[in-house]
Amino acid sequence: MDLITPTIILAIFFSLTLSIIKPSRPKDMKYTLALMFTISLIPLNSLLSHNNELTISILPLIITPTENINITILLDTLSLMFIPMALFITWSIIEFSIWYMSTDPNINKFIKYLIIFLITMMVIITSNNMYQLFIGWEGVGIMSFLLIGWWNSRSNANTAALQAIIYNRIGDVGLIFSTTWLITFSSMNFQELLIQYELPSIIPSIGLMAAAMGKSAQFGLHPWLPAAMEGPTPVSALLHSSTMVMAGVFLLIRLYPILHNNHDMKMTCLIIGAVTTMFAAAAATTQHDIKKIIALSTTSQLGLMMTMLGLGQPILAFLHMTLHSFFKALLFLCSGSFIHNLNNEQDLRMTGNLLKTMPMTSSFTIIASLSLMGMPFLSGFYSKDTMIEIMMNSYMNSWALMITLLATALSAAYSMQIILLILTGPSRTNPYYHKETKNIIPPLTRLTLLTIFIGSVTKLSTLQLTPTLTMPMITKLMALLMMILGITMSKDLSFINQPMPPQKPQTTNSLFDQLAFSNIPHRSMSAWMLKSGQQMSTELLDLWTLENYGPKGLSKTITQLILLSTQQKNMIKNYMSTFTFTLLILLILT
């Protein structure tokens, strides 16, 4: 790899930073990102030719007795493939944002926030030590807080932003824990750290797993992801496609040699990923808000990536991450187009017949949904089908395989539900739509073309050395069969439900709906903690401790002054009786 590659990567960083500092119009940002994406393809071409790895370092910033801390950029297959993808998606999202946020008075600030979001993610991707990765890790957390709570006059947006930062802070504790352990017993630099993977340790693995669970919204730390839909749609698109939620899985892919010989942690990855995939897909089928369905779909796909890490396939997880980013960004931008043109209506039950009024957006939605289902020869097929084949041919428990296949069917079901409810059937909204504008067609068209072709291009690239797998025909067709099953279920369900009047939700639906947003920890546990806190602070502390050791205790310990100065006890009857009795005795004796 020649000197051109590091020069180009540094130029991209400096250009993006400069575009934030200097005052500029939103259109200038769009052109800057388009240029940066074009330039970033040059190192990718070099990577395809040589597949080398390069590290750029500057002089140490902090010198310690044990280790020198410096800014180091790692350019390898992961970073050089991720950077063009992130730049392309951000370019499309910012062009969409110029139309979507045109009435916002702070649109310049909004777009600069998106660029900072991208830069912090690129810091994570290219970092070569734990310090640098931690800076980018915290950066994406801060930017997600600011962007999710962009419409801060809405209480739900503020709650969602706080929820995101609190759940991520739980995961960040794990990352700090791992970093501290590595400082003490290993090294901060990834090359030195990964050489030592022959001696696995459970302690840093647990911390990395907790960090990935928080950032990538795995089961247990997932509720912030559907709640984050309170932010503007371009934020949701960037958050779910190429930043933030990908950081957790990417951390495990980058540091996978630490987990490689640790079979307990790999099994934990497998179980958590499989549970997340199944649960999120089931929860998505119970939702009616289009953005929440797509958000739970992201959680399901992240669970699939985690399952691949548990099976020892980090490169396959990275492939799915890359291909998933394009159609997920496209789905969110299409949903933003629908929402904007329906006067902010997000409920699927209030839409219908948009195939005629919004033909371009409808076509893009169909392609993105089919790619998410795993339709053959669209980009999602190349990673999803390969993952299920790998699961079929690996030594693993059948439980994880079964629920992953079920989740595949459910993902096809909710994707088909979106298509049927939005695009077909009678129109259930006000017929006065906004007209589908030409401004959004170029970014959506670009994303659609890559959604169709990026899988084929990746398959034909020289990076992929796929071993030939021999398997029965039914095993080979399993992913396709599950997709067809999910589509059939969704179609039958729509035929059953549409003629019927609205009914009370079933117990199963309510259960998955409650689980998706975890109302139990949010309401029951918080109510119990507040009540017990009130009881402790008032009854235990105020009414008992402070009174007994305060005024009542002092009153018992202080002796009254009259008892110290005289024998007077205020018993007047006894005193008068004694006086009279004594006087009589004296009179008798005298």
Side-chain angles (χ1 to χ4, degrees), residues 209-265:
M209 190 70 204
M213 282 182 67
K215 195 67 80 177
S216 290
Q218 297 300 297
F219 185 73
L221 297 176
H222 67 277
W224 71 268
L225 198 57
M229 295 300 99
E230 293 295 333
T233 306
V235 173
S236 305
L238 192 59
L239 186 83
H240 287 250
S241 60
S242 54
T243 58
M244 189 65 177
V245 294
M246 298 303 164
V249 175
F250 187 86
L251 174 72
L252 292 183
I253 294 172
R254 175 69 85 194
L255 299 178
Y256 184 75
I258 294 178
L259 305 176
H260 182 64
N261 288 333
N262 197 330
H263 299 292
D264 293 336
M265 288 313 298

Side-chain angles (χ1 to χ4, degrees), residues 66-221:
T66 55
E67 194 162 13
N68 296 335
I69 301 167
N70 52 9
I71 295 175
T72 315
I73 293 178
L74 175 63
L75 302 177
D76 62 346
T77 307
L78 299 180
S79 54
L80 290 179
M81 285 188 68
F82 198 95
I83 286 173
M85 181 267 290
L87 286 167
F88 181 85
I89 289 173
T90 311
W91 168 30
S92 302
I93 288 170
I94 281 180
E95 189 171 348
F96 182 87
S97 303
I98 294 169
W99 168 78
Y100 191 84
M101 305 289 288
S102 58
T103 56
D104 196 302
N106 296 319
I107 183 171
N108 286 341
K109 183 179 172 185
F110 177 78
I111 287 177
K112 286 186 178 181
Y113 276 8
L114 291 181
I115 298 286
I116 298 170
F117 205 5
L118 171 67
I119 291 172
T120 50
M121 187 62 193
M122 285 171 61
V123 169
I124 293 176
I125 299 302
T126 57
S127 59
N128 193 33
N129 57 51
M130 291 297 289
Y131 293 112
Q132 205 170 318
L133 187 139
F134 189 73
I135 291 167
W137 189 270
E138 292 302 312
V140 290
I142 292 164
M143 294 318 299
S144 67
F145 174 76
L146 293 172
L147 286 166
I148 292 168
W150 178 256
W151 289 320
N152 48 30
S153 57
R154 296 164 56 182
S155 61
N156 284 349
N158 292 328
T159 306
L162 277 172
Q163 198 172 327
I165 208 78
I166 289 166
Y167 273 102
N168 277 284
R169 183 56 57 198
I170 296 169
D172 292 351
V173 171
L175 187 65
I176 295 167
F177 181 68
S178 290
T179 307
T180 309
W181 189 92
L182 293 171
I183 290 171
T184 311
F185 299 104
S186 184
S187 172
M188 285 292 95
N189 295 319
F190 288 162
Q191 277 89 359
E192 299 168 10
L193 164 65
L194 298 181
I195 288 170
Q196 304 169 13
Y197 69 85
E198 287 86 358
L199 300 172
S201 176
I202 195 76
I203 298 172
S205 304
I206 291 172
L208 294 175
M209 190 70 204
M213 282 182 67
K215 195 67 80 177
S216 290
Q218 297 300 297
F219 185 73
L221 297 176

Side-chain angles (χ1 to χ4, degrees), residues 400-545:
L401 173 62
M402 289 289 291
I403 65 171
T404 306
L405 287 173
L406 188 54
T408 305
L410 288 172
S411 66
Y414 63 69
S415 300
M416 197 63 195
Q417 202 71 15
I418 291 174
I419 293 172
L420 291 172
L421 286 173
I422 290 183
L423 308 181
T424 63
S427 178
R428 292 176 284 271
T429 52
N430 192 332
Y432 298 106
Y433 302 108
H434 291 181
K435 191 176 179 181
E436 190 175 41
T437 58
K438 294 180 181 178
N439 300 343
I440 61 168
I441 302 303
L444 294 183
T445 307
R446 283 197 302 270
L447 285 169
T448 305
L449 288 173
L450 279 187
T451 297
I452 296 169
F453 295 116
I454 190 68
S456 306
V457 172
T458 311
K459 184 72 177 174
L460 295 172
S461 72
T462 55
L463 288 176
Q464 204 175 37
L465 301 172
T466 310
T468 304
L469 299 176
T470 305
M471 62 187 76
M473 181 64 76
I474 189 70
T475 306
K476 181 71 177 171
L477 296 175
M478 187 55 71
L480 187 60
L481 291 173
M482 296 311 289
M483 185 191 79
I484 294 168
L485 175 64
I487 292 172
T488 312
M489 284 166 45
S490 180
K491 187 73 175 164
D492 287 350
L493 191 65
S494 66
F495 281 143
I496 293 168
N497 287 346
Q498 281 177 2
M500 295 173 66
Q503 294 180 338
K504 189 177 178 182
Q506 297 177 357
T507 310
T508 314
N509 285 13
S510 300
L511 172 68
F512 280 114
D513 187 33
Q514 294 289 315
L515 277 175
F517 296 94
S518 281
N519 288 328
I520 294 168
H522 288 170
R523 295 182 182 176
S524 308
M525 287 175 60
S526 55
W528 174 79
M529 289 175 71
L530 283 170
K531 188 174 180 182
S532 57
Q534 182 188 14
Q535 288 175 340
M536 287 172 65
S537 62
T538 56
E539 296 177 12
L540 185 65
L541 191 66
D542 197 19
L543 298 179
W544 182 73
T545 309

